[in-house]
Amino acid sequence: MFVNQKQTKFGMSKLSERDISGLIQLSASVGWDYDEQEIRTVMSAGTVYGHKNEQGTIISSAAMISYAEKLASIGMVIVNDSYRGHGLGKELTEACIRSVPDDVTIMLIATKEGKPLYEKLGFDTITCVHKLISDNYVAFHQEDGGLEYDVLPLTDIHFEQVRAMDRDAVGADRGPFLAVRIRQARQGVVVTHRNGNLAGYGLGIAGPVNMILGPIVATNHDVACCIIRELAKEHQGRLRIDVPDGQALFVRSLEKSGFVKESQPPIMIKNSSSLPERNHTLFGIAAQIFG
């Protein structure tokens, strides 16, 4: 067990699958909707730290997910309201930072409440994501630019192409994470040109409140819209997508389909002045915790 030696009456440790139910309760206590499947994916892809009180109840959490020693993402930073003011969030975030080498770019998507803490710890805001929600999705059809392509279920035969396309979109190899995320997905689709080359892929992740659309990676806006139509067409319920800044045309298409922008949280980074080089094909992130 990893225990921080700073002066605190709460022990910090790495959490395990035995703690999933406690993490779900902690998430619910602040109005977040992490479920068992999502937390299992987080634990498969990274490390979750947390504090427990004297009764063994989890009162805080933070997760660090690393991608091929090049990029890491911090998320699920939660402190129970009754235990704020003890420096638990700071202690957890510092543990996440220490868990990767100094030359790894660390990113996170900040809440309004967490942003001041991250600034004190050396994170800088570089861009943002646009969180969009739809309770009444209506497919927005438009010309597809004369492209000829097929929309197919994502299967194992596509994985290496998907992995390579995702690497170019994100700037880091997320292969192990993608393998777990694809298994978790309610639906995965790929768009291929008639010559077999991959033009895009997307996942739909069923959660207790939303179906998360992401990652969405596509060679252009039309392919991205096609992926959204395919993932959303039979879904009954709320949809959510987090779109990186710089995809204004895509955001407008989503709004025409019934999505409403809820917020614009900042992306903050440490250990670098920019994210790893990306090719502008990322239209929807996997989730804020995964970057």
Side-chain angles (χ1 to χ4, degrees):
M1 177 182 292
F2 171 79
V3 180
N4 189 280
Q5 298 300 316
K6 291 184 178 181
Q7 292 183 355
T8 176
K9 60 182 178 181
F10 306 113
M12 183 176 69
S13 62
K14 293 180 181 179
L15 303 183
S16 69
E17 291 186 354
R18 297 190 304 272
D19 299 304
I20 288 177
S21 62
L23 285 167
I24 293 172
Q25 293 174 24
L26 175 66
S27 167
S29 76
V30 296
W32 292 6
D33 60 349
Y34 281 95
D35 62 7
E36 179 177 347
Q37 283 294 99
E38 190 76 345
I39 294 173
R40 287 188 182 277
T41 295
V42 171
M43 288 183 168
S44 295
T47 302
V48 181
Y49 300 94
H51 293 91
K52 297 181 181 180
N53 63 14
E54 294 179 351
Q55 290 73 43
T57 301
I58 298 172
I59 58 174
S60 70
S61 69
M64 178 60 116
I65 299 160
S66 297
Y67 302 124
E69 299 182 354
K70 190 172 184 180
L71 177 68
S73 180
I74 296 176
M76 203 163 72
V77 181
I78 307 171
V79 178
N80 184 289
D81 285 344
S82 299
Y83 293 89
R84 295 193 175 184
H86 294 278
L88 304 185
K90 179 175 183 288
E91 191 173 11
L92 290 168
T93 305
E94 289 175 333
C96 289
I97 293 169
R98 290 195 303 271
S99 72
V100 298
D102 292 342
D103 59 350
V104 172
T105 300
I106 303 173
M107 68 171 293
L108 58 82
I109 299 177
T111 62
K112 180 180 178 180
E113 296 78 13
K115 189 169 182 284
L117 167 63
Y118 304 134
E119 289 174 336
K120 291 178 182 177
L121 293 175
F123 286 84
D124 296 312
T125 299
I126 58 163
T127 183
C128 67
V129 295
H130 303 268
K131 175 184 174 183
L132 294 103
I133 299 290
S134 174
D135 289 307
N136 297 287
Y137 174 78
V138 178
F140 172 65
H141 293 279
Q142 63 183 51
E143 295 298 323
D144 292 329
L147 293 176
E148 292 186 351
Y149 47 73
D150 296 310
V151 182
L152 305 168
L154 194 164
T155 66
D156 290 345
I157 65 172
H158 303 115
F159 181 75
E160 289 306 323
Q161 287 188 77
V162 165
R163 181 176 186 170
M165 191 171 198
D166 186 86
R167 181 179 62 240
D168 292 340
V170 175
D173 183 1
R174 302 197 297 178
F177 160 69
L178 285 176
V180 177
R181 194 64 163 174
I182 289 169
R183 290 197 297 270
Q184 181 190 355
R186 172 183 172 182
Q187 184 181 6
V189 300
V190 293
V191 177
T192 63
H193 293 291
R194 296 295 163 82
N195 62 9
N197 291 335
L198 200 66
Y201 88 91
L203 301 179
I205 309 296
V209 177
N210 312 297
M211 183 164 87
I212 298 172
L213 304 176
I216 307 295
V217 177
T219 52
N220 59 55
H221 160 266
D222 295 319
V223 172
C225 288
C226 176
I227 293 169
I228 296 298
R229 289 197 296 269
E230 186 67 21
L231 292 174
K233 66 181 182 181
E234 295 182 0
H235 179 69
Q236 300 295 320
R238 175 173 286 194
L239 299 166
R240 171 177 174 172
I241 185 169
D242 292 82
V243 181
D245 200 32
Q247 302 290 5
L249 179 60
F250 182 57
V251 170
R252 288 197 294 271
S253 295
L254 291 171
E255 290 172 335
K256 290 179 180 178
S257 295
F259 281 86
V260 176
K261 190 184 297 186
E262 275 204 349
S263 61
Q264 192 172 305
I267 295 177
M268 307 182 75
I269 64 170
K270 182 179 174 66
N271 296 344
S272 178
S273 60
S274 63
L275 289 169
E277 184 177 355
R278 299 180 170 193
N279 65 0
H280 308 293
T281 59
L282 184 64
F283 285 82
I285 67 173
Q288 291 191 8
I289 185 172
F290 299 115

